[in-house]
Amino acid sequence: MKAFFEAIQYLFVDILFAPLDFIRSLELSSWFAANTINWIFMIICVAAMVYWIKQLKLHKDNNEDNQDTTAHSFFK
């Protein structure tokens, strides 16, 4: 049973967390390189937000959205 838990420890510590150890050591030399993943996620979120707002404007310009409070039966 002890070997099973040691195998789990080896999997997580030595294999799955290895990229995080690399990023942690990279931060000492270049902050921007270490935070590249964060920058990529921020760019994706901004692109998704711009797309979403553009779609909302498109539906609003076509009068496809119903902003009446009685649009749903539970608002009556």
Side-chain angles (χ1 to χ4, degrees), residues 16-70:
L16 296 178
F17 290 157
L20 298 176
D21 291 336
F22 171 72
I23 291 171
R24 185 176 60 212
S25 65
L26 181 65
E27 185 180 13
L28 298 175
S29 61
S30 174
W31 180 87
F32 286 104
N35 288 298
T36 304
I37 295 173
N38 295 334
W39 291 108
I40 291 170
F41 284 143
M42 285 192 288
I43 291 169
I44 290 170
C45 288
V46 166
M49 193 167 47
V50 167
Y51 174 77
W52 181 257
I53 292 171
K54 214 168 131 181
Q55 290 296 317
L56 286 174
K57 183 170 178 0
L58 180 80
H59 287 288
K60 187 172 182 81
D61 291 344
N62 290 337
N63 292 325
E64 293 178 7
D65 60 339
N66 188 359
Q67 295 183 354
D68 187 16
T69 56
T70 60

Side-chain angles (χ1 to χ4, degrees), residues 1-11:
M1 192 60 151
K2 181 179 178 185
F4 173 73
F5 289 111
E6 287 177 352
I8 292 174
Q9 175 189 351
Y10 172 76
L11 173 69

